[in-house]
Amino acid sequence: MAKTNIIDLSAQALDCLMPMHLQISPTGHILHAGPTVQKLRPEGGLVGARLLEVFHLRSPRSVQTMDDLRDCVGKRLKLQFREAPKTGLKGALVMSDGDGVMVLNLSFGISLVEAIREYDLHAADFAATDLSVELLYLMEAKSAAMNESHKLNRHLQAAKIAAEEQAFTDTLTGLKNRRALSHIMDRLLTEQRAFGLMQLDLDFFKLVNDQLGHSAGDHVLQRTAAIMVEHTRQDTVLVRIGGDEFVLLFPDLRDARQLLMIAERLIAALEEPIPFGSVNCEISASIGASVVQAGCFEQASDLLEQVDQALYASKRAGRGCATLYEADKFSGDPATIELRSHEMRRVRPGYSAAAETDMQSKSSSA
Amino acid sequence: MHGLVFRSFESFILNSYGQTTWIQVADKAGIPRQGLQSLAEYDDELALDILDAASETLGRPGSDILEDLGTFLVSNPTTEALRRLLRFGGASFAEFLQSLDELPDRARLAVSDLVLPQLELRDNTPGSFNLTCYWDHPGPGHVLVGMLRTMADDYGALVLLEYVGADNGKETISIKLLDQEFTQGRDFHLAV
């Protein structure tokens, strides 16, 4: 081969271009180590040692002798220090002309970050053309950007939870929720307006939920909401306060009889079987009602407690009925109230005894 | 302008002046008190509104606030990542200066839609440079002055910085590098 393009480079020049290179004698001894490789073994001992005693060749694995190594010229090598820290390195091997000296250039490859930590390397330890520092830059920049993105995600998640907490709507039924109820009641009381108040609990709902599953239960709750919308005026405030419990608020309604008529209609409508798939869900409702007079000074919570007492009386009286709260009849302890329950003004709508018996027998077997 | 720029400003006001001041600034500028989103894009005009609001609230000229912002960005522990990213620009302050014109491209490597002002460094005489910053509105130049001053401390270099002025979408800063190794500087390791 014509040797016309031979470039003679000094050791310094090679160190500048390849600070991680080794020069290896034909006998396999390290003749020279670049400045950065030397930093990897600060205790020294590289120059003069046998290459294959310092490094273990991980690829190609067959390399045992210098003759094997000479066959690797031009190939990609994977090496590892035999002594700790057992840093992995990538290598490329070339043969110089004439004297049989080999040049092995090394790089950290993917173990770059660990190596930099391990050996406290600096930008100046890498060749000017080496992209290692750019790679480190990119890794940090990416993690900073990811960090910001995670922060944003956490922020949005928190905002979503806060928005849900502040929402006034019950997501299942589209009715108002308990939070909305207290706002609206407070407003009516502040404005000193009269209103009708009703608490409605579904009867036998648990049975539907337990026997037919949650989706049937959800369907019944949604149908209940629709029935309430159908049987009330637009200004009626319809609230699901939890589970199968509802509160209805009738602004400016002062007439107890009217309130009980609405209750009657609601119970009758809710007792119509609700089809779900191939089955009919049969429920009913118990209602406690009261009329809050204009200028009432009682707290919203007390008013709700009163309709709850009336509701309790309806349940005691056999469910599927409505009871009007009357202050004089509801004073005293709960036991007394129970005794007097027969005196309360109750309304029993056209109610199918068979259905009730049927459901109750199911209930007791459940 | 990228949301990250707005977040930086918010973080600067919160850290330097506290929550109450930030709420005053946000209310005055008509932005949400919880700040803007870091990964969204906003009108440049909004940045000017927020700066005006801050200037009015703090009773300080906008240019001073922006310079403090620059200092904050590369010295506060909450934005340590940014200081580290800048230190990757070079092993010495002079090398760092030479890397500044790569800054917008470097930023885009990290966040592809983050557009930063184009920077151009010109050597006048040895140790004396002019840095030109191109942007539609004056302002980034002042941030740069704050950043460069703090980065010089970080590298341990002694420099004289002067905001020369703004002219038709470009701002000029004169930099005199008096001593590269004036002090020890702050530690920097390639890997943390």
Side-chain angles (χ1 to χ4, degrees):
Chain A
M1 197 200 282
K3 294 183 179 179
T4 48
N5 289 323
I6 291 175
I7 302 170
D8 249 340
L9 289 174
S10 66
Q12 283 111 313
L14 285 174
D15 284 351
C16 173
L17 288 178
M18 301 183 291
M20 284 186 67
H21 84 284
L22 297 170
Q23 294 174 21
I24 304 145
S25 74
T27 54
H29 291 84
I30 298 174
L31 297 171
H32 171 87
T36 304
V37 193
Q38 290 199 33
K39 280 188 104 173
L40 307 189
R41 297 291 121 163
E43 68 280 10
L46 279 177
V47 175
R50 293 177 66 91
L51 179 79
L52 292 176
E53 281 170 10
V54 178
F55 294 102
H56 156 70
L57 242 85
R58 292 177 55 213
S59 166
R61 285 189 173 277
S62 56
V63 175
Q64 302 290 337
T65 65
M66 277 316 287
D67 283 336
D68 296 339
L69 192 65
R70 270 184 279 271
D71 289 340
C72 293
V73 165
K75 288 186 186 156
R76 283 161 186 264
L77 306 181
K78 281 188 187 170
L79 306 91
Q80 190 174 22
F81 276 107
R82 289 187 186 272
E83 303 288 330
K86 297 183 177 177
T87 309
L89 295 160
K90 288 169 73 171
L93 185 71
V94 293
M95 183 76 76
S96 71
D97 287 307
D99 54 8
V101 171
M102 289 182 284
V103 175
L104 175 63
N105 194 23
L106 298 169
S107 105
F108 291 113
I110 210 72
S111 56
L112 176 68
V113 176
E114 294 90 81
I116 282 170
R117 254 185 230 129
E118 188 73 62
Y119 304 112
D120 189 29
L121 299 176
H122 299 275
D125 294 321
F126 295 93
T129 48
D130 190 328
L131 290 176
S132 293
V133 175
E134 274 79 3
L135 181 66
L136 292 170
Y137 165 83
L138 200 55
M139 282 169 58
E140 285 213 19
K142 270 293 175 230
S143 64
M146 282 294 276
N147 210 6
E148 197 54 46
S149 161
H150 286 149
K151 259 193 250 167
L152 178 63
N153 275 346
R154 279 196 297 273
H155 174 76
L156 290 178
Q157 189 60 26
K160 180 169 168 273
I161 291 167
E164 279 169 4
E165 279 171 359
Q166 284 163 20
F168 282 162
T169 306
D170 170 49
T171 47
L172 177 66
T173 60
L175 302 183
K176 299 269 191 299
N177 62 15
R178 191 184 277 274
R179 178 192 301 275
L181 173 67
S182 66
H183 272 269
I184 295 166
M185 272 183 88
D186 286 346
R187 200 186 68 220
L188 289 173
L189 289 169
T190 311
E191 290 172 359
Q192 307 205 334
R193 281 165 74 180
F195 58 93
L197 186 62
M198 213 184 259
Q199 182 169 348
L200 181 154
D201 272 23
L202 295 183
D203 297 326
F204 316 118
F205 174 75
K206 192 173 180 305
L207 201 64
V208 171
N209 219 24
D210 290 352
Q211 293 191 342
L212 301 176
H214 289 302
S215 56
D218 287 353
H219 176 70
V220 166
L221 290 171
Q222 284 164 342
R223 183 68 200 127
T224 301
I227 288 169
M228 285 167 53
V229 172
E230 278 165 36
H231 288 81
T232 56
R233 286 169 27 165
Q234 198 153 16
D235 65 349
T236 308
V237 180
L238 304 172
V239 186
R240 177 170 170 236
I241 55 172
D244 58 350
E245 298 169 21
F246 298 84
V247 166
L248 299 86
L249 218 141
F250 304 84
D252 303 318
L253 190 150
R254 295 180 178 80
D255 184 352
R257 271 188 318 181
Q258 199 188 338
L259 194 60
L260 287 171
M261 272 164 56
I262 298 169
E264 200 175 317
R265 285 207 306 268
L266 281 171
I267 294 171
L270 286 168
E271 285 178 349
E272 293 288 329
I274 299 170
F276 178 75
S278 58
V279 292
N280 279 332
C281 305
E282 293 181 15
I283 55 158
S284 181
S286 298
I287 293 177
S290 80
V291 171
V292 179
Q293 297 301 338
C296 162
F297 287 106
E298 287 182 87
Q299 301 272 322
S301 55
D302 293 337
L303 296 170
L304 287 170
E305 174 61 30
Q306 289 166 9
V307 284
D308 193 51
Q309 281 182 27
L311 170 70
Y312 182 70
S314 292
K315 295 223 181 213
R316 285 271 157 184
R319 306 181 184 179
C321 63
T323 307
L324 187 71
Y325 175 84
E326 287 162 299
D328 54 332
K329 289 181 181 155
F330 277 78
S331 52
D333 60 61
T336 326
I337 293 167
E338 194 181 333
L339 279 175
R340 289 182 184 173
S341 66
H342 67 281
E343 295 174 21
M344 290 161 203
R345 196 191 299 188
R346 288 200 288 112
V347 178
R348 284 189 69 88
Y351 185 70
S352 155
E356 188 176 2
T357 318
D358 182 40
M359 293 301 285
Q360 276 169 344
S361 66
K362 272 192 222 160
S363 175
S364 57
S365 68
Chain B
M1 195 180 285
H2 201 273
L4 278 172
V5 181
F6 289 87
R7 290 296 283 188
S8 313
F9 192 76
E10 178 195 341
S11 169
F12 158 63
I13 297 283
L14 274 172
N15 270 276
S16 312
Y17 301 99
Q19 179 98 31
T20 318
T21 305
W22 168 251
I23 287 175
Q24 285 172 348
V25 172
D27 288 355
K28 226 171 255 175
I31 60 163
R33 288 176 170 187
Q34 66 270 27
L36 299 169
Q37 288 192 10
S38 51
L39 300 180
E41 186 72 28
Y42 298 95
D43 258 3
D44 282 4
E45 301 297 327
L46 190 55
L48 299 177
D49 290 349
I50 297 173
L51 181 62
D52 284 346
S55 176
E56 205 183 311
T57 308
L58 299 171
R60 302 182 57 202
S63 55
D64 283 12
I65 296 174
L66 289 176
E67 195 173 321
D68 284 357
L69 168 67
T71 301
F72 167 83
L73 287 176
V74 289
S75 61
N76 194 278
T78 57
T79 48
E80 171 70 10
L82 187 60
R83 173 219 165 223
R84 282 192 54 79
L85 290 177
L86 287 170
R87 284 288 301 246
F88 276 106
S92 68
F93 188 69
E95 267 185 38
F96 164 76
L97 284 178
Q98 299 292 349
S99 78
L100 281 175
D101 47 5
E102 290 176 2
L103 194 67
D105 291 333
R106 282 177 173 262
R108 258 202 308 281
L109 268 182
V111 182
S112 57
D113 54 353
L114 175 57
V115 181
L116 292 183
Q118 281 300 328
L119 301 174
E120 200 178 86
L121 187 82
R122 219 169 272 180
D123 307 38
N124 297 332
T125 55
S128 163
F129 310 86
N130 264 359
L131 182 66
T132 315
C133 169
Y134 298 89
W135 196 250
D136 297 344
H137 307 280
H142 295 289
V143 182
L144 266 172
V145 170
M147 282 176 69
L148 291 176
R149 186 162 286 143
T150 317
M151 286 309 287
D153 287 348
D154 213 287
Y155 276 102
L158 181 65
V159 295
L160 269 180
L161 288 165
E162 194 192 349
Y163 183 86
V164 179
D167 170 40
N168 204 15
K170 79 184 191 195
E171 292 171 285
T172 310
I173 299 162
S174 113
I175 304 163
K176 288 200 172 57
L177 180 50
L178 304 176
D179 188 348
Q180 280 258 52
E181 289 166 67
F182 183 63
T183 63
Q184 182 76 43
R186 268 177 78 188
D187 259 5
F188 175 73
H189 299 279
L190 287 178
V192 280

